[in-house]
Amino acid sequence: MMKRNNIFLLILLAIGVSSCKTPQATQVNSRTRLQLPTQYNGDTLTAKTTPTSWKMFFTDPQLTALIDSALANNQDLKITLQQIAVAKSGMIAAKGAMLPSLSVGAEVGVSKAGRYTSEGAGNASTEMTPGKLIPDPLMNYHPGFAFDWELDLFGKLKSSKKAAVERYLATLEGQNAVRASLISQVASNYYTLLALDNKLTLIRKYIDLQRQAEKIAEIQKEADSDTELAVEKFKAELAKARSQEFALKQEITECENALNLLLGRYPTPIQRDAKQLLNEDVKTIVTGLPSNLLSHRPDIRQAEHELAAAHWDVETARKAFLPSVNISATLGLEAFNPTYLTRMPKSLAYSVVGGLTAPLINRKAIEANFQQADAAQLQALYEYDKTLLTAYSEVCTLLSKNKNLAAYYALKEEEVKTLEHSVEVSRQLYMNGRATYLDVLEAERDALDAQMELLETRQQQLSCVVDLYRSLGE
């Protein structure tokens, strides 16, 4: 008896020695994480925050209808919803691991000991009741309950649960990021489509002008006021303009199909009003201090939850070095004949076992898991810092772009007006023989190029607004 006690004490001592020291994880806190500055490019902005809803940001009814359809049918968004369901199941499983398990079952077995063994010889000579030996083979019927519980004395299961919760929250923010990206893609494609429509209208007007110019050149050639070269030049310019028309038609088809893909449907004509492009109000973006990005941008919130999850993963891996305490118990009925199961309390069977286990031989594997979790935590930290840097740089760039595009658009409008007037002047001079056909063509080309650039600039302005919506968070 004394020898058994000594062995038990040695085992407890080994457990205590093996778990008395756990490795230290890399410290990740507010000091080690990257901090955002309080200014954008040196200018402190004291306004509140951006609009909190995309419906406050985009007011075109046709665009809002497209966005609603995309949010309901987009495949990427549906995939993200399933990822959330998977993360939620993981969180529920981690919570359930902290609770005891209770199961019910029934076992039926048979055993036969060899006749020339101690058990077989004993059974052969033992009577259950006077004149009735123990059955051979021996059946066993055992219905009952089983109870098992790992006591979370050192918080290992709690850390695992917290990691699962943070990952679930990260997937929610991931959904918000996908949602904001989807809205911005729909809006950007919509504005591109409007710009292409306006370019197509513009090139068709230009085609009509070239046809009229060709007719005038033909008349003047017949009146010996011009040469065949002028006619050929106008014909070439007309062919070039018509080829641009077909190129624009293809771009419109591709843009429509890309937009329909975002809406989760087969190619369908997109309802839109091309005039809305120039009528759309380019909003003045209201921004808050950079610290407000943390409460708006879903990708930053997602990175923050991923970092927190990585921290709890490290804690879970570190606490794997500590002992585990388990309690197991069974309670049921047991007999070699089913008719004896009701004979209480003789058929009653139970057991209670408490266990304390700690790793000894496999510590290297546990250390490797810990080092892996610690490295993953540092990776999550760098990902978080990168996300902050990207967010700040992106907003600074877009704010500058929004401001410069506004000035560029105003000057481009002035250029278009001047060139349109020069086209009228060149035509009058050509009709009066004071200018050549090259002067007219050059004036018309310059006006067309300027008008195209004006449309592209308005598209860039609206795309910049869309990007700012996405960058500042919803």
Side-chain angles (χ1 to χ4, degrees):
M1 185 67 178
M2 182 64 70
K3 187 176 181 181
R4 291 181 179 177
N5 290 338
N6 290 338
I7 293 174
F8 185 70
L9 290 174
L10 285 174
I11 292 175
L12 288 178
L13 180 62
I15 292 174
V17 171
S18 68
S19 60
C20 64
K21 185 178 180 181
T22 59
Q24 293 298 315
T26 305
Q27 294 297 315
V28 175
N29 50 42
S30 58
R31 293 183 179 180
T32 57
R33 293 192 309 187
L34 188 67
Q35 301 297 313
L36 283 169
T38 58
Q39 294 179 327
Y40 285 116
N41 290 334
D43 296 327
T44 301
L45 303 177
T46 57
K48 292 183 180 179
T49 56
T50 57
T52 56
S53 172
W54 64 267
K55 290 188 177 180
M56 297 173 60
F57 215 93
F58 305 109
T59 56
D60 184 340
Q62 291 173 323
L63 174 57
T64 56
L66 293 174
I67 293 174
D68 279 329
S69 180
L71 293 176
N73 302 309
N74 182 261
Q75 301 302 317
D76 289 333
L77 202 56
K78 290 181 179 180
I79 292 171
T80 305
L81 289 174
Q82 298 311 307
Q83 293 173 346
I84 292 174
V86 171
K88 185 176 182 180
S89 299
M91 178 183 65
I92 294 173
K95 288 182 178 179
M98 300 181 65
L99 302 175
S101 64
L102 179 64
S103 58
V104 62
E107 296 178 358
V108 178
V110 62
S111 64
K112 184 182 184 307
R115 179 67 178 81
Y116 300 109
T117 63
S118 58
E119 182 181 355
N123 290 344
S125 59
T126 303
E127 294 181 346
M128 292 290 299
T129 58
K132 190 173 184 179
L133 297 175
I134 294 178
D136 186 24
L138 185 65
M139 297 296 294
N140 186 62
Y141 300 91
H142 179 41
F145 298 91
F147 173 87
D148 189 70
W149 188 18
E150 180 180 353
L151 299 179
D152 194 26
L153 294 180
F154 301 102
K156 179 174 64 175
L157 297 178
K158 186 177 181 180
S159 296
S160 178
K161 183 199 75 171
K162 288 183 177 180
V165 170
E166 291 294 341
R167 285 202 166 82
Y168 171 67
L169 295 175
T171 57
L172 290 178
E173 296 302 338
Q175 182 203 19
N176 292 334
V178 172
R179 186 173 180 270
S181 177
L182 174 61
I183 292 171
S184 63
Q185 288 181 67
V186 171
S188 182
N189 277 274
Y190 177 76
Y191 290 136
T192 299
L193 198 53
L194 295 186
L196 290 171
D197 286 343
N198 279 275
K199 286 182 179 180
L200 184 60
T201 300
L202 189 61
I203 201 70
R204 283 172 174 170
K205 290 181 179 179
Y206 185 71
I207 289 172
D208 291 339
L209 289 175
Q210 294 307 309
R211 282 174 175 158
Q212 293 176 9
E214 181 188 0
K215 290 179 181 179
I216 294 173
E218 287 278 3
I219 294 172
Q220 290 193 338
K221 186 192 76 169
E222 292 175 0
D224 294 330
S225 297
D226 215 331
T227 64
E228 180 68 23
L229 181 60
V231 177
E232 294 300 322
K233 281 289 185 179
F234 280 118
K235 284 184 178 181
E237 188 66 19
L238 176 59
K240 178 182 177 182
R242 292 186 64 187
S243 67
Q244 288 179 312
E245 178 185 14
F246 287 102
L248 284 170
K249 285 182 178 180
Q250 179 60 28
E251 286 187 60
I252 289 173
T253 299
E254 292 176 2
C255 190
E256 277 190 321
N257 291 343
L259 189 50
N260 278 306
L261 182 61
L262 292 173
L263 301 179
R265 68 189 188 189
Y266 292 110
T268 305
I270 302 295
Q271 297 298 321
R272 59 194 185 272
D273 181 8
K275 297 178 181 178
Q276 191 65 27
L277 180 76
L278 298 177
N279 295 335
E280 186 73 14
D281 180 31
V282 180
K283 299 174 178 60
T284 301
I285 304 302
V286 183
T287 57
L289 294 174
S291 59
N292 286 336
L293 288 172
L294 290 173
S295 60
H296 285 283
R297 279 190 67 128
D299 58 340
I300 293 180
R301 294 197 298 259
Q302 182 181 13
E304 194 168 21
H305 286 304
E306 291 287 359
L307 180 58
H311 166 73
W312 290 114
D313 283 341
V314 172
E315 284 298 298
T316 302
R318 184 179 67 83
K319 290 170 182 177
F321 290 92
L322 301 174
S324 298
V325 180
N326 292 275
I327 298 177
S328 299
T330 60
L331 174 64
L333 303 175
E334 191 169 16
F336 65 86
N337 191 317
T339 59
Y340 294 156
L341 292 176
T342 57
R343 297 183 182 183
M344 301 283 288
K346 292 182 179 181
S347 61
L348 184 65
Y350 63 87
S351 67
V352 178
V353 178
L356 182 66
T357 58
L360 285 178
I361 304 300
N362 65 335
R363 285 181 65 88
K364 288 295 183 182
I366 298 176
E367 287 176 1
N369 288 335
F370 171 79
Q371 291 170 1
Q372 182 182 18
D374 195 41
Q377 179 184 214
L378 287 176
Q379 180 182 352
L381 173 64
Y382 300 146
E383 291 287 350
Y384 176 81
D385 290 347
K386 178 183 176 181
T387 304
L388 287 186
L389 285 171
T390 302
Y392 180 78
S393 176
E394 194 176 69
V395 171
C396 287
T397 300
L398 289 172
L399 287 173
S400 175
K401 183 178 180 181
N402 186 60
K403 180 180 179 181
N404 290 327
L405 280 175
Y408 183 86
Y409 185 82
L411 292 172
K412 187 60 65 175
E413 276 188 312
E414 183 178 342
E415 178 187 358
V416 167
K417 291 178 181 179
T418 302
L419 289 175
E420 286 176 345
H421 179 68
S422 69
V423 169
E424 296 297 328
V425 172
S426 66
R427 286 173 184 163
Q428 292 295 328
L429 292 174
Y430 177 71
M431 295 297 294
N432 295 324
R434 299 175 58 187
T436 67
Y437 58 90
L438 291 177
D439 295 327
V440 178
L441 279 178
E442 184 177 357
E444 289 178 342
R445 285 173 183 171
D446 289 343
L448 177 65
D449 291 341
Q451 289 168 336
M452 289 289 192
E453 289 178 7
L454 184 67
L455 291 173
E456 289 173 0
T457 304
R458 175 48 62 96
Q459 177 191 343
Q460 290 176 16
Q461 281 185 294
L462 294 171
S463 295
C464 183
V465 171
V466 171
D467 291 337
L468 274 167
Y469 155 78
R470 179 183 51 79
S471 298
L472 292 172
E474 182 175 315

